[in-house]
Amino acid sequence: MALTYGFLSTHPPTQCGLATFNSALAAHLTGDGLFGGIVRVTAEGDDERPQPGVVHTWTPSSPGGWQAAGAALEDFDVAIVQHEYGIYPGADGQDVLPLLRCLAVPSVVVLHTVLAAPTPRQKALLEEIGAAAGAIVTMTCTARDRLTAGYQVDAGKVFVIPHGAADHLRVPARRRSRPHMLTWGLLGPGKGIEWALRALALLGGLDPSPIYTIAGKTHPKVLELQGEAYREGLHELAARLGVSTAVRHDPVYRDQDSLSRLIRSADVVVLPYDSAEQVTSGVLIEAVAAGVPVVATTFPHAVELLTGGPGLLVPHGDPAALASAVRRVLTRPGLADDLTVRTRALIPTLLWPAVAARYESLVRSLRAKRPTATTAMLP
């Protein structure tokens, strides 16, 4: 019997990683919306016009909005809830907690962040969310281990299901006349692009010299608070380093086909992130699934996925090490192929159909374990 799925999350046209993830997961679980619906969480300034598949909108200005959102989720067999601090109203997004507690249908909470050093309130909130949820999904073993070691949660509720990826390999690789370095995703401080620019300046001796594409819009929250200051700083840095002509800014939010073509044109994906907290990176998964070598700093997801796999790891904030790793990928014969061949068998397990099937299996198992409601017999 087909299950129906209710999803609680940010959702397009909101442009963020959480919304993109939820949209893809919903599409692969519900058969073009036939068996599901979205309860969309919005922020100030979001476009709140009706969207296909959205059955309810939880706006930040709605007092007690969690009650109506919870009621909308009750129309489905299961609620899949995306969690990130600050997505929901209340301090640290705490308004999602009473919603979870009031749900009669089983719930699966997907954790996009598990902090190693949370504030006491963040820690307590995540522990209470874990207690209220029927199951918890982390996208990496690192996140699972951090959660079970650092938080009081029922380890039996925690399941690891990877972040899904599109089938980029259906797009033929398109090599350019010059080696192509690529970083993509919503832009803002912490992405470490400045380190990649400094590394690019150290690669000037290569013939032909590489070009570096920085693809993606500025993150909406960064844009609201800081405008384009970060991107403008990158332009200024590139000019000081003398690499402006080798840098291509592509400040658009691409659809799937366009993104696949861009990724498959890259010789190496560079992820120079500053964060040592990042236990999940959708960009990293997409790059690996596209069969493109990756050079990344040692953020937790990269360490887990790239060690012995399709990429090279470098220390944070070290442009010389970053340049050396990129140089090796671009110039050492056979290295790029060797890196990507190591995970050829892994790629099918990362594609959205396989990931969605694991969510469906988890949901069916969760529903099977729920006690059947019985009516009390009065004497």
Side-chain angles (χ1 to χ4, degrees), residues 148-275:
T148 55
Y151 297 77
Q152 292 185 1
V153 296
D154 179 356
K157 282 186 175 184
V158 183
F159 300 84
V160 179
I161 302 178
H163 190 299
D167 184 9
H168 301 294
L169 291 177
R170 61 188 171 75
V171 176
R174 182 173 64 87
R175 295 294 177 250
R176 305 190 182 198
S177 58
R178 295 166 61 183
H180 184 203
M181 299 165 52
L182 170 66
T183 301
W184 85 93
L186 292 171
L187 198 62
K191 290 293 185 180
I193 306 298
E194 55 271 31
W195 305 115
L197 291 176
R198 291 186 172 98
L200 180 65
L202 298 174
L203 294 169
L206 291 181
D207 185 21
S209 60
I211 57 171
Y212 179 35
T213 298
I214 303 168
K217 298 178 68 172
T218 298
H219 195 290
K221 290 187 177 180
V222 174
L223 193 61
E224 179 184 350
L225 297 174
Q226 304 174 16
E228 291 286 7
Y230 182 68
R231 190 185 298 276
E232 290 164 1
L234 296 178
H235 280 285
E236 293 169 4
L237 177 60
R240 290 201 306 272
L241 295 170
V243 296
S244 293
T245 58
V247 179
R248 298 180 180 177
H249 285 265
D250 182 34
V252 298
Y253 199 85
R254 290 174 173 264
D255 62 28
Q256 193 58 70
D257 287 343
S258 175
L259 180 60
S260 292
R261 290 193 297 272
L262 176 67
I263 300 171
R264 293 285 285 161
S265 75
D267 295 286
V268 57
V269 169
V270 181
L271 303 181
Y273 301 163
D274 290 325
S275 175

Side-chain angles (χ1 to χ4, degrees), residues 7-10 16-25 80-85 87-88 108-115 126 129 136-140 143-144 146-147 161-164 275 277-282 300-301 352 359:
F7 299 87
L8 178 66
S9 176
T10 59
C16 70
L18 208 73
T20 301
F21 175 93
N22 189 70
S23 176
L25 179 60
I80 297 183
V81 177
Q82 310 301 332
H83 181 264
E84 180 76 88
Y85 292 110
I87 294 298
Y88 302 101
V108 176
V109 175
V110 184
L111 300 183
H112 291 255
T113 296
V114 181
L115 299 174
L126 194 55
I129 287 171
I136 305 165
V137 169
T138 66
M139 298 184 216
T140 63
R144 176 201 60 198
R146 181 180 288 184
L147 180 67
I161 302 178
H163 190 299
S275 175
E277 286 275 8
Q278 191 158 355
V279 292
T280 301
S281 170
H301 193 184
W352 275 115
Y359 273 93

Side-chain angles (χ1 to χ4, degrees), residues 14 30-31 35 41 55 73 104 110 150 163 187 231 256 292 297 347:
T14 298
T30 63
F35 302 104
V41 182
V55 296
L73 291 170
V110 184
H163 190 299
L187 198 62
R231 190 185 298 276
Q256 193 58 70
V292 180
T297 50
I347 290 176

